[in-house]
Amino acid sequence: MSAKSLVVSVILYVMGRVRSRARGGDPISNAKHYIEILGNTLRSAGVDPSQVSNLLESQEVPRYIGVAIGGSVVDQGECDVNKPLRIPFIRREVSVGPALLMNVVINGARARDDYGTIVNELDKYVESLGGLRLDWELLITTLISIAKSTLTYVPYSTCGDGNTYSAYAVAHAAAAYASTAFSKDKYVIVVADIVGIQDIISRINRTEKAMRQLKGRSILINLLQHAVATRLIRDINRKLGVDALSPVNVLVNTGGEVVMLIPAIDEDVLNGVIEELEDEVAREFEGRVRVVVARSRVHSISDNFGDALGEAYGERDNRRYGRWKKFIINGKDLCDMCHMPTERPIRVDNQTLCPFCALAHRIGGVSRRLGTLAEVASPVNQPGCESMSILGINYVVCLEGVRLGVVPRIIYDLDRLSISSAINAGHALFFLNTRMPTDEFGELKSFEDLGSVAVTVKSDANKMGDLKSKVSKLGAAQYVLFSQLLITIFDAYGAMLYMNTPNYSDSVFIVYSGGDDLVVVGNHYALDYLVRIVKRANEFGINVASGAMVHDARLPIYLVWHDTEERLNRAKDMGRDESLVYLLDTGKSPVILNIDRVRDVVNYIEQRHAWAGELEGEEGEASRTLMYKVTTHLTRMYDLLWEMREVLRDKRGSKDLTRLNELRRGLVREVINYVYLINRNSRNAQGILNELPKNLHPSNIASTLAPILRSQDNQQEALKALDGLLNDLGVIVARINLYRQLLEKQQTMPT
């Protein structure tokens, strides 16, 4: 029994099962239909179609599917084809589909496709694949990509709890287990981790040409993680002299992390490949980038996937933190971009760069309008394209509109799968933002082009560590689905959103989006982009914490990175059960709002931007001045309330009553001054009052503050009232302060 034939039979069985919902018949007859189409393609990859057909009739296929979902499979046929895919492992259960992947990317959890549409797409891709002649690695690369594109948000079964499993995730995980027939159903989990991605990307001591460098580093990290997975597959196969591994063994490949379920091969061979790969990464990038690869012990396929994964993660942490390989750089030259010594200086555009920064610079130049990303057999020298070697694998990136002059080995389809029998190449989905702001000459803009100030946002999903551990215990199939869910939100939707929103094209830079992380730089539209990404994550029950910072556009990147990271962590500390954003600092207190409140702030800034012409003249200037004075008093009230909240929430149990009384008196004084200011300027105040919530109007402010000022009577009531008022005030304070920083400074201060 060939492990290759088993892998193919598992994938085609799941495809046939879905096809039967639109075409009739049973899963096996529909799978055999695909075998007829792919016969010559399978033979060219060293797979016997008749053996695949025979395996479909055996019990091997359902056995491996049962292992993938963590339990036995009872085939009840098909019941209700209208059942959506239920995602049970999120904080609140989410239903989506059945739908094609790109429909979910565009429309989120409300996406729906009928099975006729889904199967038509599946049939189209399989027929295109049938016209290609590929080796084993490329065949599986393309077959898995077809399943991912069509079946990710389609239930594996429409009976019982079968709709809690993704058809794609089951096919991928079960096929990975089927590959262990090579080692008599024994497997090992391998985890590869690019250490310190955020530090790698942000290590820039200048702002000139920094955007090109940041974007280049982001793409380089994505390519590096793919290169690591590819090298592990190819190096192991070369040393064994047989195709034991393929891309089906790669369960997760995003956010700088690779998780593989591979056959249990000779321990010395695996350890040798790991050591060589780690050393090669350090040498190639002079220690700028460090990759840690770890493995679990040998497991039987009947063992719990989560336990095996936990072992691999534990070993990864030991290798990551327990020991450091010494890497000495003897070079005397300093890189102009990262300011680190280099033995191999490279002159690029009148700069002295290290190999890592030079490569990022070249990639970043093409990323402004990225059209093609591919793996090629040998370096390409073609105008409009940049050729590069990463860990000995040749990649090429080309500008939009430039047709690659050679036949690639693998085409990385950048938004949706596009297989053509005219080009005999493998295909892989690779979601990537392919646009960046450019000037009138088509050159990539820099931060300085934003004006005097910019806003930087960093985001990170909450409780991902706990969720990963929980999902892994449910089986490999659910772990694959979890990974694809994050890719759908942060990689695929993020890229699509940018491409389809004209307001972003001139002023928003997507620095990094992968795994569950996001870094964006721009004007106020960077906050709009953040809101839309986080709201999409919320649709699927995932909460995201963010830190935002308005800063001088010439401030060094690493300083901005550090401060936004601190703000992000502060937002996490405030609460991980909702999506909070540390939006700004008053000088005394943080303004931390939930994502819906941030949307209110963004809408206000955009409206004020549109109404700028209406604020001209003496009347407009008087209203603007009054608005700023009112905001000053409201900001002082906010600071006093924030400190009062901290005193009341003192977990040590010792309330500083003296300080609490001082804060109450200070709050009363500010309220009196605020009410006096509004009443004295009643002619110009109506417009401002229309923008304030009713509880902050002079006639209502006393009753709003009453439960807070009586905090000694009912502390819980006081804290509840405090939280509500802080939210209301925080929105007002953020609106005006961000409006002034982001728009007025841009108009009055020189670049």
Side-chain angles (χ1 to χ4, degrees), residues 69-90:
I69 66 175
S72 60
V73 178
V74 178
D75 193 348
Q76 299 173 287
E78 296 296 332
C79 301
D80 180 5
V81 294
N82 295 315
K83 272 190 172 183
L85 172 69
R86 290 193 295 121
I87 304 175
F89 46 75
I90 305 296

Side-chain angles (χ1 to χ4, degrees), residues 561-634:
W561 216 272
H562 176 269
D563 288 349
T564 50
E565 179 74 20
E566 284 193 343
R567 293 186 174 196
L568 185 158
N569 290 331
R570 186 75 181 272
K572 281 184 178 288
D573 292 341
M574 278 284 291
R576 297 171 187 256
D577 291 328
E578 60 179 327
S579 295
L580 298 177
V581 183
Y582 189 137
L583 200 53
L584 59 86
D585 197 300
T586 68
K588 291 184 177 180
S589 314
V591 177
I592 300 175
L593 303 174
N594 68 38
I595 198 66
D596 290 317
R597 298 276 188 156
V598 175
R599 181 164 56 184
D600 292 342
V601 173
V602 173
N603 290 341
Y604 176 88
I605 294 172
E606 176 56 22
Q607 289 169 347
R608 281 285 170 180
H609 187 49
W611 299 341
E614 300 178 19
L615 293 175
E616 300 302 324
E618 290 185 11
E619 186 174 343
E621 183 61 34
S623 296
R624 183 190 290 113
T625 301
L626 180 60
M627 177 175 64
Y628 295 158
K629 287 181 178 179
V630 168
T631 305
T632 298
H633 288 296
L634 293 177

Side-chain angles (χ1 to χ4, degrees), residues 82-336:
N82 295 315
K83 272 190 172 183
L85 172 69
R86 290 193 295 121
I87 304 175
F89 46 75
I90 305 296
R91 179 172 51 89
R92 59 175 179 82
E93 188 174 288
V94 175
S95 295
V96 59
L100 295 165
L101 172 60
M102 285 310 299
N103 192 356
V104 177
V105 170
I106 295 168
N107 295 307
R110 67 181 183 277
R112 297 289 185 274
D113 285 310
D114 61 72
Y115 275 103
T117 301
I118 293 167
V119 172
N120 285 342
E121 192 83 350
L122 180 58
D123 284 355
K124 179 187 73 174
Y125 286 137
V126 172
E127 287 168 5
S128 297
L129 177 58
L132 303 179
R133 302 296 176 264
L134 307 172
D135 64 24
W136 173 242
E137 180 189 330
L138 302 189
L139 168 66
I140 292 302
T141 296
T142 310
L143 200 55
I144 285 293
S145 296
I146 291 172
K148 184 184 299 182
S149 182
T150 56
L151 306 182
T152 297
Y153 293 101
V154 173
Y156 167 71
S157 169
T158 59
C159 292
D161 291 331
N163 69 324
T164 60
Y165 299 96
S166 154
Y168 158 70
V170 169
H172 192 157
Y177 277 115
S179 73
T180 66
F182 174 82
S183 55
K184 299 180 180 178
D185 288 350
K186 303 292 184 182
Y187 75 92
V188 170
I189 298 293
V190 175
V191 174
D193 192 18
I194 299 176
V195 180
I197 288 178
Q198 303 287 356
D199 291 335
I200 294 166
I201 295 176
S202 66
R203 196 183 296 130
I204 298 176
N205 288 348
R206 58 193 292 179
T207 55
E208 184 184 0
K209 297 181 180 177
M211 195 59 247
R212 178 172 180 167
Q213 186 69 209
L214 285 169
K215 186 60 181 176
R217 291 182 183 194
S218 175
I219 296 176
L220 180 52
I221 292 298
N222 280 307
L223 286 176
L224 178 58
Q225 75 185 30
H226 279 76
V228 167
T230 302
R231 278 289 304 275
L232 284 167
I233 292 169
R234 294 177 185 174
D235 288 4
I236 290 171
N237 287 346
R238 187 183 69 254
K239 294 207 172 190
L240 294 177
V242 63
D243 290 332
L245 273 66
S246 73
V248 81
N249 297 106
V250 182
L251 301 183
V252 174
N253 191 351
T254 184
E257 181 182 68
V258 175
V259 176
M260 302 175 69
L261 189 157
I262 69 172
I265 63 170
D266 182 87
E267 187 173 336
D268 291 337
V269 170
L270 180 55
N271 290 340
V273 168
I274 289 173
E275 290 288 338
E276 290 171 9
L277 188 57
E278 287 182 340
D279 290 342
E280 188 172 340
V281 171
R283 288 195 307 272
E284 186 162 319
F285 297 110
E286 296 186 318
R288 306 293 198 274
V289 182
R290 182 168 172 252
V291 171
V292 170
V293 186
R295 49 159 294 182
S296 70
R297 61 181 179 84
V298 175
H299 285 267
S300 167
I301 63 171
S302 60
D303 293 344
N304 184 271
F305 171 77
D307 293 339
L309 183 64
E311 280 180 15
Y313 275 133
E315 179 60 21
R316 178 206 62 179
D317 292 343
N318 289 337
R319 294 175 69 86
R320 180 174 179 174
Y321 303 112
R323 65 181 182 85
W324 289 85
K325 292 183 179 179
K326 183 180 291 187
F327 188 84
I328 299 173
I329 301 175
N330 294 315
K332 296 181 180 179
D333 292 285
L334 284 180
C335 173
D336 288 339

